[in-house]
Coordinates of all heavy atoms in Angstrom, one line a residue:
M1 N 31.5 -24.6 25.4 CA 32.1 -24.2 24.1 C 32.4 -25.4 23.3 O 32.9 -26.4 23.8 CB 33.4 -23.4 24.4 CG 33.1 -22.1 25.1 SD 32.3 -20.9 24.0 CE 33.7 -20.3 23.0
K2 N 32.2 -25.3 22.0 CA 32.6 -26.3 21.1 C 33.8 -25.7 20.3 O 33.9 -24.5 20.1 CB 31.5 -26.6 20.1 CG 30.3 -27.4 20.8 CD 29.3 -27.8 19.8 CE 28.2 -28.5 20.6 NZ 27.0 -28.7 19.8
E3 N 34.6 -26.6 19.8 CA 35.8 -26.2 19.0 C 35.3 -25.5 17.8 O 34.3 -25.9 17.1 CB 36.6 -27.4 18.6 CG 37.9 -27.1 17.9 CD 38.6 -28.3 17.5 OE1 38.2 -29.4 17.9 OE2 39.6 -28.2 16.8
R4 N 35.9 -24.3 17.4 CA 35.5 -23.5 16.3 C 36.8 -23.1 15.5 O 37.8 -22.9 16.1 CB 34.8 -22.3 16.7 CG 33.5 -22.5 17.4 CD 32.9 -21.2 17.9 NE 33.9 -20.6 18.9 CZ 33.9 -19.3 19.2 NH1 33.1 -18.5 18.7 NH2 34.8 -18.9 20.1
D5 N 36.7 -23.1 14.2 CA 37.8 -22.6 13.4 C 37.3 -21.3 12.7 O 36.3 -21.2 12.1 CB 38.1 -23.6 12.2 CG 38.9 -24.8 12.7 OD1 39.5 -24.7 13.8 OD2 39.0 -25.8 12.0
F6 N 38.0 -20.2 13.0 CA 37.7 -19.0 12.4 C 38.9 -18.1 12.3 O 39.9 -18.3 13.0 CB 36.6 -18.3 13.1 CG 36.9 -17.9 14.6 CD1 37.5 -16.7 14.8 CD2 36.6 -18.8 15.6 CE1 37.8 -16.4 16.2 CE2 36.9 -18.5 16.9 CZ 37.5 -17.3 17.2
L7 N 38.9 -17.2 11.3 CA 40.0 -16.2 11.2 C 39.6 -14.9 12.0 O 38.5 -14.4 11.8 CB 40.3 -15.9 9.7 CG 41.5 -15.0 9.5 CD1 42.2 -15.5 8.2 CD2 41.1 -13.6 9.3
D8 N 40.4 -14.5 12.9 CA 40.1 -13.3 13.7 C 40.8 -12.1 13.2 O 42.0 -12.1 13.0 CB 40.5 -13.6 15.2 CG 40.1 -12.4 16.1 OD1 38.9 -12.2 16.3 OD2 41.0 -11.7 16.6
I9 N 40.1 -11.0 12.9 CA 40.7 -9.7 12.6 C 40.9 -8.9 13.9 O 39.9 -8.6 14.6 CB 39.8 -9.0 11.6 CG1 39.6 -9.7 10.3 CG2 40.4 -7.6 11.3 CD1 38.7 -9.1 9.3
D10 N 42.1 -8.6 14.2 CA 42.4 -7.9 15.4 C 42.4 -6.4 15.3 O 41.8 -5.7 16.1 CB 43.7 -8.5 16.0 CG 44.0 -8.1 17.5 OD1 43.0 -7.9 18.2 OD2 45.1 -8.0 17.8
E11 N 43.1 -6.0 14.3 CA 43.3 -4.5 14.1 C 42.9 -4.2 12.6 O 43.4 -5.0 11.8 CB 44.7 -4.0 14.4 CG 45.2 -4.2 15.8 CD 44.5 -3.3 16.8 OE1 43.9 -2.3 16.4 OE2 44.5 -3.6 18.0
F12 N 42.2 -3.2 12.3 CA 41.8 -3.0 10.9 C 41.6 -1.4 10.8 O 40.8 -0.8 11.5 CB 40.4 -3.7 10.6 CG 40.1 -3.7 9.2 CD1 40.6 -4.7 8.4 CD2 39.3 -2.7 8.6 CE1 40.3 -4.7 7.0 CE2 38.9 -2.8 7.3 CZ 39.4 -3.8 6.5
C13 N 42.4 -0.8 10.0 CA 42.4 0.6 9.9 C 42.9 1.1 8.5 O 43.8 0.5 7.9 CB 43.3 1.2 11.0 SG 43.2 3.0 11.1
V14 N 42.3 2.2 8.0 CA 42.7 2.8 6.8 C 43.1 4.3 7.2 O 42.5 4.9 7.9 CB 41.6 2.9 5.7 CG1 42.0 3.7 4.6 CG2 41.3 1.5 5.3
D15 N 44.2 4.7 6.6 CA 44.7 6.1 6.9 C 43.6 7.1 6.7 O 42.9 7.0 5.6 CB 45.9 6.4 6.0 CG 46.6 7.7 6.3 OD1 46.0 8.7 6.2 OD2 47.8 7.7 6.7
E16 N 43.4 8.0 7.6 CA 42.3 9.0 7.5 C 42.2 9.7 6.2 O 41.1 10.0 5.7 CB 42.5 10.0 8.7 CG 41.2 10.6 9.2 CD 41.4 11.3 10.5 OE1 42.5 11.3 11.1 OE2 40.3 11.8 11.0
E17 N 43.4 10.0 5.6 CA 43.3 10.8 4.4 C 42.9 9.9 3.1 O 42.8 10.5 2.0 CB 44.7 11.4 4.1 CG 45.1 12.4 5.1 CD 46.4 13.1 4.8 OE1 47.0 12.9 3.8 OE2 46.8 13.9 5.7
H18 N 42.8 8.6 3.4 CA 42.4 7.8 2.2 C 41.2 7.0 2.4 O 41.0 5.9 1.8 CB 43.6 6.9 1.9 CG 44.8 7.6 1.5 ND1 45.0 8.2 0.2 CD2 46.0 8.0 2.2 CE1 46.2 8.8 0.1 NE2 46.8 8.7 1.3
R19 N 40.3 7.5 3.3 CA 39.0 6.8 3.5 C 38.0 7.1 2.4 O 38.1 8.0 1.7 CB 38.5 7.1 4.9 CG 39.4 6.5 6.0 CD 38.9 6.8 7.4 NE 40.0 6.3 8.3 CZ 40.1 6.7 9.6 NH1 39.2 7.5 10.1 NH2 41.1 6.3 10.3
R20 N 37.0 6.2 2.4 CA 35.9 6.3 1.4 C 36.4 6.2 0.0 O 35.9 6.9 -0.9 CB 35.0 7.5 1.6 CG 34.5 7.6 3.0 CD 33.6 6.4 3.5 NE 32.4 6.3 2.8 CZ 31.2 6.7 3.3 NH1 31.2 7.2 4.5 NH2 30.1 6.5 2.7
K21 N 37.5 5.5 -0.2 CA 38.0 5.3 -1.6 C 38.0 3.8 -1.9 O 38.6 3.4 -2.9 CB 39.4 5.8 -1.7 CG 39.6 7.3 -1.5 CD 41.1 7.6 -1.6 CE 41.3 9.1 -1.3 NZ 42.8 9.3 -1.2
G22 N 37.4 3.0 -1.1 CA 37.4 1.5 -1.4 C 38.5 0.7 -0.8 O 38.7 -0.4 -1.2
V23 N 39.4 1.4 0.0 CA 40.6 0.7 0.4 C 40.3 -0.5 1.4 O 40.7 -1.6 1.2 CB 41.6 1.7 1.1 CG1 42.8 0.9 1.7 CG2 42.1 2.8 0.2
A24 N 39.4 -0.2 2.3 CA 39.0 -1.2 3.3 C 38.3 -2.4 2.6 O 38.4 -3.5 2.9 CB 38.1 -0.6 4.4
T25 N 37.5 -2.0 1.6 CA 36.8 -3.1 0.8 C 37.8 -4.0 0.1 O 37.7 -5.2 0.2 CB 35.8 -2.4 -0.2 OG1 34.9 -1.6 0.4 CG2 35.1 -3.4 -1.1
A26 N 38.8 -3.4 -0.5 CA 39.9 -4.2 -1.1 C 40.6 -5.0 -0.1 O 40.9 -6.2 -0.3 CB 40.8 -3.3 -1.9
M27 N 40.9 -4.4 1.1 CA 41.6 -5.2 2.2 C 40.7 -6.4 2.6 O 41.2 -7.5 2.9 CB 41.9 -4.3 3.4 CG 43.0 -3.3 3.2 SD 43.0 -1.9 4.3 CE 43.0 -2.6 5.9
M28 N 39.4 -6.2 2.7 CA 38.5 -7.2 3.2 C 38.5 -8.4 2.1 O 38.4 -9.5 2.5 CB 37.1 -6.7 3.5 CG 36.3 -7.5 4.3 SD 37.0 -8.0 5.9 CE 36.7 -6.5 6.9
E29 N 38.5 -8.0 0.9 CA 38.5 -9.0 -0.2 C 39.8 -9.8 -0.1 O 39.8 -11.1 -0.2 CB 38.4 -8.4 -1.6 CG 37.0 -7.8 -1.9 CD 35.9 -8.9 -1.7 OE1 36.1 -10.0 -2.2 OE2 34.9 -8.6 -1.1
F30 N 41.0 -9.2 0.2 CA 42.2 -9.9 0.4 C 42.1 -10.9 1.6 O 42.5 -12.0 1.5 CB 43.3 -8.9 0.6 CG 44.7 -9.5 0.9 CD1 45.5 -9.9 -0.1 CD2 45.0 -9.8 2.2 CE1 46.8 -10.5 0.2 CE2 46.3 -10.4 2.5 CZ 47.1 -10.8 1.5
I31 N 41.5 -10.4 2.7 CA 41.4 -11.2 3.9 C 40.5 -12.4 3.6 O 40.8 -13.5 4.0 CB 40.8 -10.4 5.0 CG1 41.9 -9.4 5.5 CG2 40.4 -11.3 6.2 CD1 41.4 -8.3 6.5
K32 N 39.4 -12.2 2.9 CA 38.5 -13.3 2.6 C 39.1 -14.3 1.7 O 39.0 -15.6 1.9 CB 37.2 -12.7 1.9 CG 36.2 -12.0 2.8 CD 35.3 -11.1 2.2 CE 34.4 -11.7 1.2 NZ 33.5 -10.7 0.6
D33 N 39.9 -13.9 0.7 CA 40.6 -14.8 -0.1 C 41.7 -15.6 0.7 O 41.8 -16.8 0.6 CB 41.3 -14.1 -1.3 CG 40.4 -13.6 -2.3 OD1 39.2 -14.0 -2.3 OD2 40.8 -12.7 -3.1
F34 N 42.4 -14.9 1.6 CA 43.4 -15.5 2.4 C 42.7 -16.6 3.3 O 43.2 -17.7 3.5 CB 44.1 -14.5 3.3 CG 45.1 -15.0 4.2 CD1 46.4 -15.3 3.9 CD2 44.7 -15.3 5.6 CE1 47.3 -15.8 4.8 CE2 45.6 -15.9 6.5 CZ 46.9 -16.1 6.1
A35 N 41.6 -16.2 3.9 CA 40.9 -17.2 4.8 C 40.5 -18.4 4.0 O 40.7 -19.5 4.5 CB 39.7 -16.5 5.4
K36 N 39.9 -18.2 2.8 CA 39.4 -19.4 2.1 C 40.6 -20.3 1.7 O 40.5 -21.5 1.7 CB 38.7 -18.9 0.8 CG 37.2 -18.4 1.1 CD 36.5 -18.1 -0.2 CE 35.8 -16.9 -0.1 NZ 35.4 -16.2 -1.4
E37 N 41.7 -19.6 1.2 CA 42.8 -20.4 0.8 C 43.4 -21.2 1.9 O 44.1 -22.2 1.7 CB 43.9 -19.4 0.3 CG 43.6 -18.9 -1.1 CD 44.5 -17.7 -1.5 OE1 45.5 -17.4 -0.8 OE2 44.1 -16.9 -2.4
N38 N 43.2 -20.7 3.2 CA 43.8 -21.4 4.3 C 42.8 -22.3 5.1 O 43.0 -22.7 6.2 CB 44.5 -20.4 5.3 CG 45.8 -19.9 4.6 OD1 46.8 -20.6 4.8 ND2 45.7 -18.8 4.0
G39 N 41.6 -22.5 4.4 CA 40.6 -23.4 5.0 C 39.7 -22.9 6.0 O 39.0 -23.6 6.7
F40 N 39.7 -21.5 6.2 CA 38.7 -20.9 7.2 C 37.4 -20.5 6.4 O 37.5 -19.8 5.4 CB 39.4 -19.7 7.8 CG 40.6 -20.1 8.7 CD1 41.9 -19.9 8.2 CD2 40.4 -20.6 9.9 CE1 43.0 -20.3 8.9 CE2 41.5 -21.0 10.7 CZ 42.8 -20.8 10.2
H41 N 36.3 -20.8 7.0 CA 35.0 -20.4 6.4 C 34.3 -19.4 7.2 O 33.1 -19.2 7.0 CB 34.3 -21.7 6.1 CG 35.0 -22.7 5.2 ND1 35.1 -22.4 3.9 CD2 35.7 -23.8 5.5 CE1 35.9 -23.4 3.4 NE2 36.2 -24.2 4.3
R42 N 34.9 -18.8 8.2 CA 34.3 -17.9 9.0 C 35.3 -16.8 9.5 O 36.4 -17.2 9.8 CB 33.6 -18.6 10.2 CG 32.8 -17.7 11.1 CD 31.9 -18.5 12.1 NE 31.4 -17.6 13.1 CZ 32.2 -17.3 14.2 NH1 33.3 -17.8 14.4 NH2 31.6 -16.5 15.1
I43 N 34.9 -15.5 9.5 CA 35.8 -14.4 9.9 C 35.1 -13.8 11.1 O 33.8 -13.5 11.0 CB 36.0 -13.4 8.8 CG1 36.7 -14.1 7.6 CG2 36.9 -12.3 9.3 CD1 36.9 -13.2 6.4
E44 N 35.8 -13.4 12.1 CA 35.2 -12.8 13.3 C 36.0 -11.6 13.7 O 37.2 -11.5 13.4 CB 35.3 -13.8 14.5 CG 34.4 -13.5 15.7 CD 34.5 -14.6 16.7 OE1 34.0 -15.7 16.4 OE2 35.0 -14.4 17.8
L45 N 35.3 -10.6 14.2 CA 36.1 -9.4 14.7 C 35.2 -8.8 15.8 O 34.0 -9.1 15.9 CB 36.3 -8.4 13.6 CG 35.1 -7.9 12.8 CD1 34.4 -6.7 13.5 CD2 35.6 -7.4 11.4
N46 N 35.7 -7.9 16.6 CA 34.9 -7.1 17.6 C 35.2 -5.7 17.4 O 36.3 -5.3 16.9 CB 35.1 -7.6 19.0 CG 36.4 -7.3 19.5 OD1 36.7 -6.1 19.9 ND2 37.3 -8.3 19.6
M47 N 34.3 -4.8 17.8 CA 34.4 -3.4 17.6 C 33.7 -2.7 18.7 O 32.8 -3.2 19.4 CB 33.8 -2.9 16.3 CG 32.4 -3.5 16.0 SD 31.5 -2.5 14.8 CE 31.2 -1.0 15.8
W48 N 34.0 -1.4 18.9 CA 33.3 -0.6 20.0 C 32.0 -0.1 19.4 O 31.9 0.3 18.3 CB 34.2 0.6 20.4 CG 35.5 0.2 21.1 CD1 36.7 0.1 20.5 CD2 35.6 -0.3 22.4 NE1 37.6 -0.4 21.4 CE2 37.0 -0.6 22.6 CE3 34.8 -0.4 23.5 CZ2 37.5 -1.0 23.8 CZ3 35.2 -0.8 24.7 CH2 36.6 -1.1 24.9
E49 N 31.0 -0.1 20.3 CA 29.7 0.3 19.9 C 29.6 1.7 19.4 O 28.8 2.0 18.5 CB 28.7 0.1 21.1 CG 27.2 0.3 20.8 CD 26.7 -0.9 20.0 OE1 27.3 -2.0 19.9 OE2 25.5 -0.8 19.5
F50 N 30.5 2.6 20.0 CA 30.4 4.0 19.5 C 30.9 4.2 18.1 O 30.7 5.3 17.5 CB 31.2 4.9 20.5 CG 32.7 4.6 20.6 CD1 33.5 5.1 19.5 CD2 33.2 3.9 21.6 CE1 34.9 4.9 19.6 CE2 34.6 3.6 21.6 CZ 35.4 4.1 20.6
N51 N 31.6 3.2 17.6 CA 32.3 3.4 16.3 C 31.3 3.1 15.1 O 31.4 2.1 14.4 CB 33.5 2.5 16.2 CG 34.5 2.9 15.2 OD1 34.1 3.7 14.3 ND2 35.7 2.3 15.2
Q52 N 30.4 4.0 14.9 CA 29.3 3.8 14.0 C 29.8 3.8 12.5 O 29.3 3.1 11.7 CB 28.2 4.8 14.1 CG 27.4 4.7 15.4 CD 26.7 3.4 15.6 OE1 26.0 3.0 14.7 NE2 27.0 2.6 16.6
G53 N 30.9 4.5 12.2 CA 31.5 4.4 10.9 C 32.0 3.0 10.6 O 31.8 2.5 9.5
A54 N 32.7 2.4 11.6 CA 33.2 1.1 11.4 C 32.1 0.1 11.2 O 32.1 -0.8 10.3 CB 34.1 0.7 12.6
L55 N 31.0 0.3 12.0 CA 29.9 -0.6 11.9 C 29.2 -0.5 10.5 O 28.9 -1.6 9.9 CB 28.8 -0.2 13.0 CG 27.5 -1.1 13.0 CD1 27.8 -2.5 13.3 CD2 26.5 -0.5 14.0
A56 N 29.1 0.7 10.0 CA 28.5 0.9 8.7 C 29.4 0.2 7.6 O 28.9 -0.5 6.7 CB 28.4 2.3 8.4
F57 N 30.7 0.3 7.8 CA 31.6 -0.4 6.8 C 31.4 -1.9 6.9 O 31.2 -2.6 5.9 CB 33.1 0.0 7.0 CG 33.9 -1.0 6.3 CD1 34.0 -1.0 4.9 CD2 34.6 -2.0 6.9 CE1 34.8 -1.9 4.2 CE2 35.4 -2.9 6.2 CZ 35.4 -2.9 4.9
Y58 N 31.5 -2.5 8.2 CA 31.4 -3.9 8.4 C 30.1 -4.5 7.8 O 30.0 -5.5 7.2 CB 31.6 -4.3 9.8 CG 33.1 -4.1 10.3 CD1 33.3 -3.5 11.5 CD2 34.1 -4.5 9.5 CE1 34.6 -3.3 12.0 CE2 35.4 -4.3 10.0 CZ 35.7 -3.7 11.2 OH 36.9 -3.5 11.6
E59 N 29.0 -3.7 8.1 CA 27.7 -4.2 7.6 C 27.7 -4.1 6.0 O 27.2 -5.0 5.4 CB 26.6 -3.4 8.2 CG 26.4 -3.8 9.7 CD 25.2 -3.1 10.4 OE1 24.7 -2.1 9.9 OE2 24.8 -3.7 11.4
A60 N 28.3 -3.1 5.5 CA 28.3 -3.0 4.0 C 29.1 -4.1 3.4 O 28.9 -4.6 2.3 CB 28.9 -1.6 3.6
A61 N 30.1 -4.5 4.2 CA 31.0 -5.6 3.7 C 30.4 -7.0 3.9 O 31.0 -8.0 3.4 CB 32.4 -5.6 4.5
G62 N 29.3 -7.1 4.6 CA 28.6 -8.3 4.8 C 28.6 -9.0 6.1 O 28.1 -10.1 6.3
F63 N 29.2 -8.3 7.1 CA 29.2 -8.8 8.5 C 27.9 -8.7 9.2 O 27.2 -7.7 8.9 CB 30.3 -8.1 9.3 CG 31.7 -8.6 9.0 CD1 32.4 -8.1 7.9 CD2 32.3 -9.5 9.8 CE1 33.7 -8.4 7.7 CE2 33.6 -10.0 9.5 CZ 34.3 -9.4 8.5
E64 N 27.6 -9.6 10.1 CA 26.4 -9.5 10.9 C 26.7 -9.6 12.4 O 27.7 -10.3 12.7 CB 25.4 -10.6 10.6 CG 24.8 -10.5 9.2 CD 23.9 -11.7 8.8 OE1 23.7 -12.5 9.7 OE2 23.5 -11.7 7.7
T65 N 26.0 -8.9 13.2 CA 26.3 -9.0 14.7 C 25.8 -10.4 15.2 O 24.6 -10.7 14.9 CB 25.6 -7.9 15.4 OG1 26.1 -6.6 15.0 CG2 25.9 -8.0 16.9
F66 N 26.6 -11.1 15.9 CA 26.1 -12.4 16.5 C 26.2 -12.4 18.0 O 25.7 -13.3 18.6 CB 26.8 -13.6 15.9 CG 28.2 -13.8 16.4 CD1 28.5 -14.7 17.4 CD2 29.3 -13.1 15.8 CE1 29.8 -14.8 17.8 CE2 30.6 -13.2 16.3 CZ 30.8 -14.1 17.3
R67 N 26.9 -11.4 18.6 CA 27.1 -11.4 20.1 C 27.3 -10.0 20.5 O 27.9 -9.2 19.8 CB 28.2 -12.3 20.4 CG 28.8 -12.1 21.8 CD 29.8 -13.2 22.1 NE 31.1 -12.9 21.6 CZ 32.2 -13.5 22.0 NH1 32.1 -14.6 22.7 NH2 33.4 -13.2 21.5
R68 N 26.8 -9.6 21.7 CA 27.1 -8.3 22.2 C 27.8 -8.3 23.6 O 27.5 -9.2 24.4 CB 25.8 -7.5 22.5 CG 25.1 -6.9 21.2 CD 23.8 -6.3 21.6 NE 23.1 -5.8 20.4 CZ 23.1 -4.6 20.0 NH1 23.7 -3.7 20.7 NH2 22.5 -4.3 18.8
Y69 N 28.7 -7.4 23.8 CA 29.3 -7.2 25.1 C 28.5 -6.2 25.9 O 28.3 -5.1 25.3 CB 30.8 -6.8 25.1 CG 31.7 -7.8 24.7 CD1 32.0 -8.1 23.4 CD2 32.4 -8.6 25.7 CE1 32.9 -9.1 23.0 CE2 33.3 -9.5 25.3 CZ 33.6 -9.8 24.0 OH 34.5 -10.8 23.6
M70 N 28.0 -6.5 27.1 CA 27.2 -5.5 27.8 C 27.8 -5.1 29.1 O 28.7 -5.9 29.6 CB 25.8 -6.0 28.0 CG 25.1 -6.4 26.7 SD 23.4 -7.0 26.8 CE 22.6 -5.5 27.1
E71 N 27.5 -3.9 29.6 CA 28.1 -3.5 30.9 C 27.1 -2.6 31.6 O 26.1 -2.1 31.0 CB 29.4 -2.7 30.6 CG 29.1 -1.4 29.9 CD 30.4 -0.6 29.6 OE1 31.5 -1.0 30.2 OE2 30.4 0.4 28.9
M72 N 27.3 -2.4 32.9 CA 26.5 -1.5 33.7 C 27.5 -0.8 34.7 O 28.3 -1.4 35.3 CB 25.5 -2.4 34.6 CG 24.6 -1.6 35.5 SD 23.8 -2.7 36.7 CE 22.6 -3.5 35.6
F73 N 27.3 0.6 34.7 CA 28.1 1.3 35.6 C 27.4 1.5 36.9 O 26.2 1.8 37.0 CB 28.4 2.7 35.0 CG 29.4 2.6 33.8 CD1 28.9 2.7 32.6 CD2 30.7 2.5 34.0 CE1 29.7 2.6 31.5 CE2 31.6 2.4 33.0 CZ 31.1 2.4 31.7
L74 N 28.1 1.3 38.1 CA 27.5 1.5 39.4 C 28.1 2.6 40.2 O 29.2 3.1 39.9 CB 27.8 0.1 40.2 CG 27.3 -1.1 39.5 CD1 27.8 -2.3 40.2 CD2 25.8 -1.1 39.4
Ligands
LIG1 C1 36.2 1.6 9.0 C2 37.3 1.9 7.9 C3 38.3 0.8 8.0 C4 36.6 2.0 6.5 O1 37.6 2.2 5.6 P1 37.3 2.8 4.1 O2 38.6 2.5 3.2 O3 37.0 4.2 4.3 O4 36.1 2.0 3.6 P2 35.5 1.8 2.1 O5 35.9 3.0 1.3 O6 36.0 0.5 1.6 O7 33.9 1.8 2.3 C5 33.1 0.9 1.8 C6 31.6 1.2 2.2 O8 31.5 1.0 3.6 C7 30.6 2.0 4.1 N1 31.3 3.0 5.0 C8 32.7 3.1 5.2 N2 33.0 4.0 6.0 C9 31.8 4.6 6.5 C10 31.5 5.6 7.3 N3 32.4 6.3 8.0 N4 30.2 5.9 7.5 C11 29.2 5.3 6.8 N5 29.5 4.3 5.9 C12 30.8 3.9 5.8 C13 30.0 2.8 2.9 O9 28.9 2.0 2.5 C14 31.2 2.6 1.9 O10 30.8 2.7 0.6 P3 30.6 4.2 -0.2 O11 31.9 4.9 0.2 O12 30.5 3.9 -1.6 O13 29.4 4.8 0.5 C15 37.9 3.3 8.2 O14 36.9 4.3 8.3 C16 38.9 3.3 9.4 O15 40.0 3.0 9.3 N6 38.3 3.8 10.5 C17 39.1 4.0 11.7 C18 39.7 2.8 12.3 C19 38.5 1.9 12.7 O16 37.5 2.3 13.3 N7 38.7 0.6 12.4 C20 37.8 -0.5 12.9 C21 38.0 -0.8 14.3 S1 37.1 -2.1 14.8

């Protein structure tokens, strides 16, 4: 591992009654501005594979997958 500087998003949620109104997009713009102002040039987060709505949002916001967690049930 090499030393890396990044801002990690741990929890990210919009109230169910207020989705698809651009709230998460505005939150992400706030986070991006906060990261830049504090010298971070990379944002990281992880999500569950079944959460296709979240994946669609993150991809629409400009995130790309760079690593996968894999498992096998025995
Ligand atoms: C994922 C989440 C944060 C998105 O919040 P939101 O405020 O509804 O997102 P926005 O309105 O800013 O959506 C922007 C764009 O992202 C995409 N998008 C957002 N939610 C989507 C969904 N459920 N399905 C498909 N595309 C979606 C669309 O392209 C959307 O633009 P459009 O509405 O003009 O089509 C919200 O659905 C949520 O809180 N989910 C439950 C918690 C969760 O899963 N959090 C992430 C855990 S890792």
